[in-house]
Amino acid sequence: MSRQSMLTIFGALALVVGLTGCYESSDVTFFEAGKYQGGDDPLLQKLEDPEFRAGLDRRFDGQRDR
Amino acid sequence: MARMKFLCDADRCIECNGCVTACKNANEVPWGVNRRRVVTLNDGEPGEKSISVACMHCDDAPCAAVCPTDCFYTTTDGIVLHDKDLCIGCGYCFFACPFGVPQFPEQRAFGSRGRMDKCTFCAGGPEEPGSQAEFEKYGANLIAEGMLPACAEMCATKALLAGDGDLVAEIFHHRSTSRDGRPQTWGWATAYGAGLS
Amino acid sequence: MKLIRKHAAAKPSGAALGKPFDRRALIKRSGLTAGGTALAASMPLSMMRRVDAQVSPEAEKGPIEKRTTICSHCSVGCSTIASVQNGVWIRQEPDFDSPINLGGYCAKGASLRAHAKSEKRIKYPMKLEGGQWRRLSWEQAIDEIGDKMLAIREESGPDAFWFSGSCKANNEASYLQAKFSAFWGTNNRDHSARICHSTTVAGVANTWGYGAMTNSYNDMHNCKSMFFIGSNAAEAHPVAMQHVLRGKENGAKIIVVDPRFTRTAAHADQYIRLRPGTDIPLIWGILWHIFENGWEDREFIQQRVYAMDEVRQEVANWTPDKVADVTGASESELYEAARTLAENRPGTIVWCMGGTQHHVGNSNTRAYSILQLALGNMGKSGGGANIFRGHDNVQGATDIGPLCNTLPAYMGFSDNAWKHWCRVWDVEFEDIRSRFDTYSPNGVHRMNVPGIPVSRVVDGIMEDAENLGQRGKLRGIFFQGLSANAIARGPEIQEALGALDLVIVSDPFPTHMVALSDRTDGVYLLPTATQFEQAGTVTASNRSIQVREKILDPLYESKTDSQITYLLAQKFGFADEMFKGIAIESGDHPVWEDVLREINRGAWTIGYSGQSPERLKLHMANKYSFDTTTLKAEGGPCDGETYGLPWPCWGTPEQKHPGTHILWDPSLPVSQGGLPFRARFGTEHEGVNLLAENSWPAESEIQDGHPPVTYGLLRSLGWHADLTPFEMATIAWVGGLTGKPSQTVAEEEIASYRTMESADLDAVAWHTDISGGIQRICLKHNVAPFGNAKARCKVWTFPDPIPVHREPIYTSRYDLVSDYPTYEDMKEVFRVPIRYESIQKDDYSGDYPLVLTTGRLVEHEGGGAETRSTAWLAELQPDMFVEIHPADANDRGLRRGDWVWIEGPEGGRIKLKILVTRRVGRGVVWTPFHFGGWFQGEDREAKYPEGTAPYSRGEAANTVTTYGYDPITQMQETKATLCQIVKAA
């Protein structure tokens, strides 16, 4: 094997190895929140009530310049 | 459903700390713990701006993402709350939070870290709303009583607003347009260039 | 494996925050992590636990009652709602209905609940005996104090005692304090308005008639420009900034002039730094441009201003180069300011202690007023002189409370004034006169001479007796709601306290007095209720009167100011006479409504006559119906009235005057709150007319300038026929022609007076006719009771008729003293001499090169006894500090956080930390004045009774402040003195 072809092979190998280093898998581990493990908050139920929500929005009028 | 939001109008904020004591008044957090703080930039020099900061109730809350005990939950309208019974006081959330919000009250001598405490948007935590247990762990639950966070309700200049994001935006938009048609909120020039209006 | 954000695309909302947030900065900024922990360690355990006050309704049964009170800190008048359960204040809620604060509060207002329940209160009466605090019962305390006071009175006369009132007391308590000292027989009484806005009251009242804020916080929505000088509203009146910033959003241009780049300046369009004590050259410097460019309002000046030409002459001396040299403000800065003010009318001017606390304070306030007159800004919505008062009820306590230079309602101490109040009190003038000291040099009775002012009590104790304008030195003091650290020359006060026979402190907290004094005996502490523990009225800076409901019963063994006054009156045997016509409930509680009605019956000069308790309560119940800009009710039971019936509210309550929102506004009829300038200084001076020309309030039936309305004037117009028989009879009584009439007096009995030509009868005037008849007829014809005159730029009775610059007594620019010297020494002003040139003759600027000035922090109020004893506030602002420019710090080898001594030219020194900041200019240092509890390097915690030392203690700024007093009002010069700063070992 000539020096030249050896160099070519090594060069190609180096290129392959180098390129491999640049590879980024799209299959990453997202750091996602786990499932909430704590107790129930009765407030959540209350917030579902549109009338209650409307009350909060009316209360917000206090923060207006009037 | 709209999201609950805080907004601090830096053109109105005068660093009077009314929000800070209003929070203490509502939640009776102990000495040394401040769920809300007013931060002043360029203190004492032209360009001085103040802004009141507490938990921003992030949509994708980093604290919740990193919590090893998964003690965080988010209400349907975006209030980030947590269960102190699960909290182990590790401080990972403090590390993750971009605003330095989580605090760890000293519960014993020699500075051992207690369970994480932060702004609840005056919505208490996972206990019966208005109960003594809830108050002791999380402070007031004004939301359950149909009120909004004390800090914003009591703001001296109505700089700090808290409520449905659409309503907050409506007020801020109105103010912005009356200020020579250009929002002078802090950071505008940095973000969009000084010449842009 | 890498961690990537779940949603990589940045949200634009994140970018709006600009540069990324430095979390460590957030922690650092709080300054609490280290100091807070240390302080927390010293806190009682109960503070560390959750306080069980705020509990859920189900946890503790009992109805929750909501009551409304007014914040007891500054003069804005913020209303707040307290929820009370089982006698405990469990929650504080915003009062969105209040047109004044719309539910907004600063750090102090939002922590009223902690203030109300502070554990640092004086809990029971105590006396200092052999260096130990000993508990007393109230009976013992009143007995012992009373006996000792009487003994001093017996030996040295009634003037040997000095009483302080309080700007924290409600109107009724304040008025009773004033009445009490009259029955005791002395004018030696005062309150902290003396060292707050006394120069404003004197300067401004002598310019246009009344010395109060002319417009309102709310009216600032209408300003086109705002000129703040010596006012840091963002810290001193934070909720006022709600209206200021709304005004700014409406297009107003804001100019802030101050030696410091304040938090208010941070919101200004233009900031001008001036050297402390150069306000007059600065104003003249602006006026120079105004006159030069013809920007003055000539029509306004011609119609409504006297002697502007003489101002013009003085101003001509102040060329821009001279102004720049003296004040430090450049020609271009002042030109820009002048142009802003000229092009943006109407504009308002705001000033506070930065302008008033100078030995030329009265001239400063007149110069400010003259600027507004030149611009034609007075008597207009959006214009005016918005003089922000300090304490919550300093306006009311000044209007009708205990001042050393006047009876209630600014009536002075003339025999006529005394006779007026004696008629109101239903006592004999001779009886009151007999209670006073008979010492009468030059035949002038001490009853007719102002007493010793609060700023000079120290000299009343220490000055040689022959230099005092009274029989002898002061031997005892009674401080009811006044902080000793508010007064200049701390070390001398300490010495003076030691020279007294008796010191009494009546206060919710022990105050700096206890820490300052080295006495081991003869000090009494009386636990006094806060404003949350009593009902009454409070007058905000804009003259609106609001009602406080009682939130809690007095805590511990506290009693209210009025109760204590009553108990002492009883001890001295004049309670029955003093409280004639005032009901006393549960033994010792004077009923506030009755007291207010008595004020209504006497305070005609300023129109405190129409604000009956019933009308005020109606306003409180219908707050929501008042417009937040005009303060006017639209519809509802208060339709057409202005919120809180700001004085003058002419006539009797039945006449339903709506109150005066904006003073001196001729565009409205007098009956609707309109007014011309007051005719107070005669009809002419040196042949020049002082009455208004071609200007009168809308619908006035006298369409020209006119003097104050007297019975004589009514008679000449034929309007006297409208007086009812009772009114006519009252006028005859006041005129000395008959005795006190009955309400049912018949026409036949008084018919003869209607046709009588009598000088005595004719002299009865709008302010002495206690029937209100003259004012009623004035309103009917829309004529201003006090006449219609010009405002005057020249006060010919003052040492400087036109304000002129005088260098501070201790000045850093000694080279200017030869051109702008202070006054010659004065022999007797309010019973004490004032030294001026004998101090200024020495140059201290070499050894003490830094100018020292003082000011406010938002978290604290006044002497800070209350706020430093409120845990949440003490936590936010725990330490005394001094602001120093980086160059001055580097010159002294000082670094951030170093402990330093500030040394004053009179020997006082204080130890504190430095804050290196460009907020102050080079050569100027600034300290807050709220701290106390330390004295010259020593924390005197041990001097407080157990458990009453405030959470936060520090040096009192006034330990290093120096001599210097205004010649008209005895205001202290605490805003411009000298000091040196050295590193503490």
Side-chain angles (χ1 to χ4, degrees):
Chain A
M1 208 179 268
S2 75
R3 269 179 80 92
Q4 190 148 20
S5 58
M6 285 244 316
L7 269 174
T8 311
I9 291 166
F10 272 118
L13 266 173
L15 191 70
V16 168
V17 170
L19 281 173
T20 311
C22 291
Y23 166 77
E24 192 178 41
S25 164
S26 60
D27 183 24
V28 298
T29 303
F30 283 104
F31 206 92
E32 280 187 65
K35 193 177 178 314
Y36 172 59
Q37 305 290 334
D40 288 340
D41 187 349
L43 178 67
L44 300 185
Q45 198 57 42
K46 208 166 179 175
L47 284 168
E48 298 297 325
D49 176 2
E51 211 157 294
F52 178 73
R53 279 300 313 245
L56 285 177
D57 289 350
R58 275 196 303 279
R59 175 79 182 181
F60 184 74
D61 284 344
Q63 293 177 44
R64 293 179 190 275
D65 285 334
R66 187 151 75 87
Chain B
M1 181 176 275
R3 260 175 45 77
M4 287 293 185
K5 277 180 184 161
F6 278 126
L7 184 139
C8 182
D9 178 351
D11 262 18
R12 282 263 185 120
C13 181
I14 55 171
E15 210 213 333
C16 76
N17 278 325
C19 48
V20 178
T21 58
C23 175
K24 294 214 162 226
N25 201 337
N27 297 299
E28 298 218 357
V29 287
W31 181 288
V33 174
N34 286 282
R35 289 181 174 182
R36 181 168 278 289
R37 285 174 178 146
V38 183
V39 180
T40 302
L41 298 135
N42 301 324
D43 197 16
E45 295 181 25
E48 174 181 310
K49 288 275 180 195
S50 297
I51 186 167
S52 173
V53 182
C55 173
M56 300 300 279
H57 298 276
C58 307
D59 201 21
D60 174 16
C63 53
V66 301
C67 179
T69 61
D70 289 327
C71 75
F72 289 90
Y73 63 106
T74 305
T75 68
T76 40
D77 48 2
I79 303 172
V80 176
L81 299 171
H82 70 299
D83 186 338
K84 283 194 178 184
D85 292 343
L86 282 185
C87 175
I88 55 173
C90 66
Y92 205 3
C93 50
F94 177 58
F95 194 68
C97 176
F99 305 101
V101 161
Q103 291 175 76
F104 300 87
E106 288 174 28
Q107 290 186 326
R108 273 170 282 157
F110 309 113
S112 89
R113 271 199 294 199
R115 295 187 175 157
M116 191 275 274
D117 187 83
K118 72 164 192 74
C119 159
T120 67
F121 210 80
C122 284
E127 295 283 351
E128 185 56 36
S131 65
Q132 185 68 19
E134 182 187 48
F135 189 79
E136 283 182 6
K137 271 190 238 169
Y138 306 102
N141 195 338
L142 301 181
I143 295 283
E145 291 182 52
M147 298 191 277
L148 290 163
C151 53
E153 291 205 329
M154 296 178 107
C155 174
T157 57
K158 303 202 179 289
L160 185 63
L161 303 168
D164 185 303
D166 293 342
L167 300 177
V168 169
E170 179 200 315
I171 290 185
F172 189 64
H173 180 254
H174 178 76
R175 277 187 208 166
S176 298
T177 47
S178 69
R179 288 170 187 153
D180 300 332
R182 178 182 179 282
Q184 293 166 1
T185 182
W186 176 76
W188 178 270
T190 316
Y192 300 108
L196 207 72
S197 58
Chain C
M1 201 183 300
K2 279 193 249 167
L3 295 179
I4 327 180
R5 289 273 309 137
K6 194 162 53 171
H7 308 286
K11 291 182 183 171
S13 61
L17 269 175
K19 54 181 173 185
F21 216 84
D22 179 2
R23 162 170 87 209
R24 273 162 304 188
L26 180 61
I27 304 300
K28 228 184 307 173
R29 162 61 188 78
S30 79
L32 295 168
T33 38
T37 315
L39 271 162
S42 66
M43 303 264 301
L45 261 175
S46 56
M47 277 308 301
M48 298 293 295
R49 286 194 225 108
R50 296 220 175 263
V51 182
D52 59 353
Q54 183 146 3
V55 290
S56 64
E58 55 184 22
E60 199 162 334
K61 300 288 179 217
I64 295 181
E65 256 187 87
K66 293 204 177 184
R67 296 172 194 154
T68 308
T69 188
I70 307 299
C71 177
S72 67
H73 291 294
C74 87
S75 69
V76 174
C78 303
S79 169
T80 192
I81 300 169
S83 299
V84 181
Q85 188 180 40
N86 298 334
V88 178
W89 185 350
I90 58 164
R91 181 182 283 165
Q92 185 185 344
E93 286 175 35
D95 188 351
F96 294 125
D97 284 346
S98 165
I100 289 182
N101 63 310
L102 291 86
Y105 309 89
C106 69
K108 299 181 295 295
S111 59
L112 293 181
R113 198 167 62 87
H115 173 192
K117 65 174 189 181
S118 172
E119 296 167 5
K120 301 298 186 183
R121 293 273 293 271
I122 303 174
K123 293 163 189 83
Y124 36 76
M126 276 178 270
K127 76 167 167 182
L128 192 61
E129 218 174 41
Q132 299 295 314
W133 290 105
R134 225 192 83 202
R135 181 172 183 166
L136 299 175
S137 71
W138 267 104
E139 293 70 32
Q140 278 174 310
I142 295 289
D143 251 9
E144 281 188 29
I145 289 169
D147 290 341
K148 287 185 180 180
M149 286 172 72
L150 285 172
I152 290 174
R153 189 194 161 98
E154 198 66 29
E155 291 163 24
S156 311
D159 280 343
F161 219 84
W162 191 90
F163 299 89
S164 95
S166 179
C167 305
K168 295 275 166 233
N170 57 38
N171 283 326
E172 294 72 25
S174 251
Y175 170 80
L176 290 177
Q177 285 168 336
K179 194 172 175 182
F180 177 86
S181 58
F183 275 80
W184 167 266
T186 187
N187 293 340
N188 279 337
R189 50 117 192 262
D190 212 1
H191 62 79
S192 54
R194 178 73 41 211
I195 47 184
C196 167
H197 265 297
S198 65
T199 43
T200 297
V201 174
V204 176
N206 273 289
T207 301
W208 49 55
Y210 291 142
M213 177 163 170
T214 62
N215 293 38
S216 70
Y217 297 110
N218 302 65
D219 183 60
M220 293 177 87
H221 299 174
N222 295 323
C223 295
K224 296 278 182 286
S225 60
M226 304 178 192
F227 185 85
F228 288 78
I229 182 163
S231 158
N232 180 11
E235 298 212 57
H237 305 88
V239 176
M241 288 300 283
Q242 185 181 139
H243 302 295
V244 170
L245 293 173
R246 274 174 75 170
K248 191 184 178 195
E249 279 158 22
N250 292 341
K253 298 277 176 269
I254 300 181
I255 301 170
V256 171
V257 180
D258 207 286
R260 283 173 85 222
F261 181 81
T262 59
R263 297 213 188 285
T264 312
H267 288 271
D269 295 283
Q270 189 190 1
Y271 165 66
I272 301 171
R273 205 189 281 283
L274 90 167
R275 179 168 65 93
T278 61
D279 300 56
I280 296 165
L282 188 123
I283 296 290
W284 287 171
I286 291 176
L287 266 180
W288 191 89
H289 290 290
I290 288 173
F291 289 143
E292 188 76 6
N293 292 287
W295 288 332
E296 70 273 23
D297 185 335
R298 291 195 195 87
E299 189 189 358
F300 183 90
I301 293 170
Q302 187 272 325
Q303 293 180 334
R304 301 186 70 191
V305 183
Y306 163 75
M308 187 60 85
D309 287 338
E310 289 180 56
V311 172
R312 204 183 278 269
Q313 285 166 25
E314 174 62 20
V315 167
N317 298 328
W318 288 96
T319 49
D321 55 323
K322 243 192 205 176
V323 173
D325 177 43
V326 173
T327 68
S330 70
E331 174 171 8
S332 61
E333 283 179 297
L334 295 186
Y335 175 78
E336 188 191 333
R339 206 177 71 171
T340 304
L341 296 178
E343 288 177 356
N344 297 280
R345 285 186 251 200
T348 190
I349 187 168
V350 179
W351 74 79
C352 294
M353 301 315 67
T356 62
Q357 289 184 340
H358 292 280
H359 81 296
V360 291
N362 81 79
S363 294
N364 282 350
T365 65
R366 287 186 290 134
Y368 306 150
S369 306
I370 288 167
L371 174 65
Q372 285 299 72
L373 290 171
L375 288 164
N377 275 336
M378 293 311 299
K380 290 176 183 164
S381 174
N386 279 314
I387 307 150
F388 293 177
R389 299 297 304 252
H391 292 285
D392 55 329
N393 197 36
V394 64
Q395 186 60 53
T398 306
D399 295 334
I400 43 88
L403 285 174
C404 72
N405 61 333
T406 182
L407 279 164
Y410 308 103
M411 295 189 75
F413 283 132
S414 67
D415 276 354
N416 275 339
W418 277 109
K419 284 176 181 164
H420 169 79
W421 280 104
C422 287
R423 278 191 289 270
V424 176
W425 296 338
D426 198 12
V427 295
E428 292 301 321
F429 169 70
E430 287 305 330
D431 171 48
I432 294 293
R433 191 180 172 91
S434 70
R435 296 165 184 270
F436 277 74
D437 202 320
T438 51
Y439 174 81
S440 305
N442 309 322
V444 184
H445 199 272
R446 291 303 93 179
M447 178 189 217
N448 304 118
V449 177
I452 293 173
V454 59
S455 49
R456 304 303 302 277
V457 167
V458 55
D459 299 294
I461 302 167
M462 302 302 283
E463 185 67 54
D464 291 340
E466 63 264 26
N467 293 335
L468 292 176
Q470 60 178 38
R471 185 181 298 278
K473 298 183 182 194
L474 296 175
R475 293 183 53 197
I477 55 172
F478 185 104
F479 268 40
Q480 190 161 48
L482 185 88
S483 297
N485 51 335
I487 312 168
R489 297 159 60 201
E492 288 174 78
I493 296 175
Q494 187 194 46
E495 202 188 329
L497 286 174
L500 289 168
D501 293 318
L502 182 59
V503 175
I504 306 159
V505 176
S506 160
D507 208 280
F509 300 95
T511 77
H512 182 63
M513 176 86 89
V514 165
L516 180 64
S517 157
D518 271 335
R519 300 178 67 92
T520 53
D521 290 280
V523 182
Y524 287 82
L525 293 183
L526 301 179
T528 307
T530 63
Q531 291 308 310
F532 314 116
E533 294 154 21
Q534 52 191 311
T537 62
V538 48
T539 308
S541 192
N542 72 315
R543 298 167 279 111
S544 282
I545 305 176
Q546 300 185 86
V547 180
R548 282 190 178 116
E549 292 176 325
K550 186 169 94 170
I551 306 299
L552 306 165
D553 284 326
L555 293 179
Y556 309 108
E557 290 182 18
S558 301
K559 289 185 185 291
T560 66
D561 299 298
S562 301
Q563 264 180 305
I564 294 169
T565 303
Y566 179 78
L567 288 172
L568 282 172
Q570 214 175 27
K571 168 75 184 170
F572 298 141
F574 52 70
D576 289 346
E577 263 179 296
M578 181 176 156
F579 292 88
K580 203 186 270 184
I582 298 169
I584 306 295
E585 271 177 1
S586 32
D588 56 7
H589 275 281
V591 171
W592 73 265
E593 286 95 335
D594 287 349
V595 182
L596 180 57
R597 284 186 198 104
E598 185 173 302
I599 296 170
N600 291 155
R601 287 198 298 273
W604 303 94
T605 45
I606 47 174
Y608 252 72
S609 47
Q611 304 97 332
S612 64
E614 293 71 24
R615 288 186 82 190
L616 294 175
K617 285 177 185 172
L618 194 67
H619 279 218
M620 299 308 283
N622 294 282
K623 285 194 201 94
Y624 64 90
S625 66
F626 293 88
D627 185 271
T628 61
T629 298
T630 63
L631 286 179
K632 196 172 176 177
E634 290 177 281
C638 310
D639 191 21
E641 295 181 357
T642 302
Y643 180 65
L645 299 170
W647 65 261
C649 178
W650 300 116
T652 57
E654 294 71 31
Q655 291 164 29
K656 294 263 181 221
H657 187 272
T660 305
H661 180 210
I662 293 170
L663 286 174
W664 327 126
D665 175 7
S667 72
L668 291 174
V670 173
S671 60
Q672 296 305 313
L675 283 176
F677 288 127
R678 178 174 174 187
R680 199 179 184 181
F681 320 111
T683 53
E684 60 164 46
H685 182 67
E686 293 171 349
V688 180
N689 178 30
L690 293 178
L691 298 176
E693 294 173 48
N694 300 317
S695 166
W696 53 85
E699 297 172 34
S700 170
E701 290 182 27
I702 303 182
Q703 303 210 329
D704 207 352
H706 65 88
V709 178
T710 57
Y711 176 75
L713 184 67
L714 288 192
R715 204 162 56 82
S716 68
L717 292 165
W719 293 349
H720 69 304
D722 280 346
L723 291 166
T724 66
F726 174 69
E727 288 165 352
M728 189 64 240
T730 305
I731 290 168
W733 172 42
V734 173
L737 302 184
T738 175
K740 190 182 176 187
S742 88
Q743 286 281 353
T744 54
V745 62
E747 178 65 27
E748 306 85 75
E749 295 171 68
I750 55 95
S752 60
Y753 299 125
R754 293 203 193 262
T755 50
M756 191 181 285
E757 289 196 21
S758 148
D760 288 335
L761 208 53
D762 282 355
V764 177
W766 62 287
H767 61 295
T768 53
D769 164 22
I770 63 176
S771 73
I774 294 180
Q775 291 199 1
R776 184 178 62 81
I777 288 176
C778 287
L779 292 184
K780 187 177 163 194
H781 300 278
N782 278 314
V783 164
F786 55 45
N788 175 10
K790 288 177 175 157
R792 59 173 180 173
C793 299
K794 177 184 173 185
V795 183
W796 51 85
T797 48
F798 281 10
D800 296 327
I802 300 284
V804 295
H805 177 53
R806 294 178 183 277
E807 275 295 312
I809 297 197
Y810 290 95
T811 174
S812 59
R813 287 291 304 275
Y814 204 76
D815 58 309
L816 295 175
V817 165
S818 54
D819 284 345
Y820 312 106
T822 183
Y823 303 99
E824 289 174 14
D825 290 5
M826 295 182 189
K827 203 159 168 277
E828 192 182 316
V829 180
F830 294 4
R831 304 191 185 189
V832 283
I834 311 184
R835 295 161 63 208
Y836 290 103
E837 94 188 306
S838 62
I839 298 179
Q840 207 185 42
K841 71 178 171 27
D842 295 314
D843 179 6
Y844 292 89
S845 61
D847 293 337
Y848 302 94
L850 297 170
V851 179
L852 171 67
T853 185
T854 62
R856 282 283 316 268
L857 294 172
V858 67
E859 291 86 356
H860 293 304
E861 173 77 10
E866 294 166 298
T867 48
R868 288 182 289 106
S869 301
T870 300
W872 303 335
L873 296 171
E875 183 191 343
L876 284 170
Q877 203 63 261
D879 296 319
M880 173 67 174
F881 62 93
V882 56
E883 289 183 352
I884 184 168
H885 190 273
D888 293 320
N890 290 339
D891 285 349
R892 289 162 180 76
L894 303 174
R895 292 177 199 185
R896 197 186 146 140
D898 275 353
W899 282 90
V900 297
W901 285 101
I902 302 184
E903 299 175 339
E906 289 176 3
R909 59 204 304 258
I910 56 177
K911 191 181 172 186
L912 68 181
K913 282 189 194 167
I914 60 163
L915 176 68
V916 180
T917 173
R918 287 178 211 280
R919 197 179 282 290
V920 286
R922 194 168 181 173
V924 176
V925 297
W926 177 93
T927 73
F929 55 61
H930 310 289
F931 288 86
W934 280 40
F935 186 70
Q936 312 220 82
E938 184 195 349
D939 181 357
R940 301 197 144 205
E941 184 182 3
K943 290 198 168 285
Y944 288 88
E946 201 187 336
T948 64
Y951 297 114
S952 131
R953 295 177 302 280
E955 291 275 10
N958 280 322
T959 305
V960 275
T961 57
T962 52
Y963 198 95
Y965 299 97
D966 181 277
I968 303 298
T969 75
Q970 290 278 16
M971 167 63 82
Q972 59 190 18
E973 179 151 37
T974 41
K975 287 291 179 273
T977 183
L978 294 177
C979 72
Q980 177 58 296
I981 291 191
V982 294
K983 191 166 178 165

